[in-house]
Amino acid sequence: MKVIVLGAGVLGVTSAWYLAKAGHEVTVIDRQPGPALETSFANAGEISPGYSSPWAAPGIPLKALKWMFQRHAPLVIQPRLDWQRLSWMARMLANCTSSAYAINKSRMVRLAEYSRDCLVELRAETGIRYDERTQGTLQVFRKQQQLDAAGKDIEVLKADGVPFELLDRAGCVAAEPGLAKAADEIVGGLRLPGDETGDCFLFTNRLAEMAAEAGVKFMWGVNIESLEAGVGRISAVRTDKGRLTADRYVLAMGPHSPQMVRHLGLRLPIYPLKGYSLTIDISDESRAPVSTVMDETYKVAITRLGDRIRVGGLAEIAGYDLSLNPRRKETLAKSVNELFGGAGDTDKALFWTGLRPMTPDGTPIVGATPIPNLYLNTGHGTLGWTMSAGSGRLIADLISGRKPDIAAEDLGYARYLRGGRAAGQPTLQPAEA
């Protein structure tokens, strides 16, 4: 079939790759001059299936109130009257229960574990390189309370068969020697040896090159204006370069996805969560991380990417604003300097911000829609890189009429329809077409 993929971030490019491998004629459209120049450009670099957790969790409402008065809070809500924001936040709060958290995390871990396996297979098949490492992820706790609270996540890891190690202070330093001078800051850690790291931007660009060699057509610098509706299906994509038609359409436009389908009667509960990162050149190898270290206190990931360190995280609810807030840079620098002080000069770091497309329950929307020839691959929040390969392969299988390798019914738009509601999930009704 002829398939058009809207968006050339890591989700769009992996979708295109697997669709082309399945024998389809694929065209990718993006407004940017190349791949991965928005949300996928400078993310945290971690591929952490076991740490795939929804932001909506028990205790978050109380924590959010406390964070409002902290200078280095992991979550910041900019004051602004916005119905879309208020509606999204209400749905997120409805998911901050123990039962909803367990369901949502299990879904996310399922897709993320599958995605990691797909990435391993893709790497073996193509030889693609992207400053990747396969040395696990270490979540460090500075307070005993944080270590105790990890019990809920450990229960889900056990249920899903994800290997893990609960470490004391000495164990954390053994896993990440660069933490030696910060040992007194740590009470313990949770290590997932099966996790990986890598440069998402580098990966997406190299996979796009391979996809082009496999026959995928990329249209750069093309603004997507709207999806045109025919009789019960999408008839065309209207762009500033003209109309384009296909048999199937895949929407992978991250935080801009809801606007593309609202007029079709689909209401995607996706809101942009603004994240930040620093990219630091390593000046002292002995003080640098080996893989990814997650600082639970600031919700920041510190990742080794070749001869660089990527420090990414935080969440700012500020709409589609892309201005760089210097206070967020202070928080990122504080985290990495306290744990890996002297590894690099944060004053010379590249400071970046991007918008993550977040759903209220944390689970992405991957699959079919009530419109027969329209598919969604969006809403991955902070986990687009972690879930990219699996999501792309899942979309290709569904479009090709193949049964996916994992259960996928509860990952798609259907979970927001009447009768498709899962326990602990808010019901979202699509608007009348």
Side-chain angles (χ1 to χ4, degrees), residues 265-416:
L266 302 181
R267 293 292 184 264
L268 302 185
I270 292 172
Y271 194 81
L273 256 64
K274 187 177 181 180
Y276 294 86
S277 75
L278 296 177
T279 304
I280 308 162
D281 291 333
I282 295 174
S283 57
D284 188 337
E285 188 90 11
S286 68
R287 298 188 179 186
V290 172
S291 188
T292 289
V293 172
M294 297 179 64
D295 185 349
E296 178 62 15
T297 297
Y298 299 111
K299 303 292 186 184
V300 166
I302 304 167
T303 300
R304 176 69 169 269
L305 297 176
D307 58 359
R308 299 161 295 149
I309 300 171
R310 175 70 49 75
V311 188
L314 309 179
E316 193 172 307
I317 300 179
Y320 289 85
D321 171 42
L322 280 169
S323 61
L324 288 166
N325 188 327
R327 183 173 291 187
R328 305 290 92 81
K329 182 177 182 180
E330 288 179 25
T331 303
L332 295 175
K334 179 178 176 64
S335 175
V336 68
N337 286 331
E338 287 180 354
L339 295 179
F340 295 98
D345 188 349
T346 53
D347 290 337
K348 298 179 180 178
L350 171 67
F351 185 35
W352 173 86
T353 188
L355 303 176
R356 301 105 149 211
M358 186 74 78
T359 62
D361 59 15
T363 310
I365 307 174
V366 184
T369 71
I371 301 172
N373 64 339
L374 176 64
Y375 291 77
L376 304 172
N377 195 0
T378 187
H380 293 72
T382 61
L383 296 163
W385 178 209
T386 292
M387 297 179 172
S388 57
S391 297
R393 185 166 178 174
L394 177 58
I395 284 292
D397 285 343
L398 292 172
I399 288 177
S400 302
R402 291 195 298 262
K403 182 179 179 181
D405 295 330
I406 61 170
E409 295 81 6
D410 57 353
L411 300 177
Y413 184 78
R415 73 179 186 270
Y416 294 112

Side-chain angles (χ1 to χ4, degrees), residues 220-242:
W220 304 118
V222 177
N223 288 313
I224 301 165
E225 296 175 347
S226 70
L227 291 169
E228 294 184 2
V231 181
R233 57 197 294 114
I234 303 301
S235 58
V237 178
R238 188 166 69 241
T239 76
D240 61 349
K241 300 294 192 296

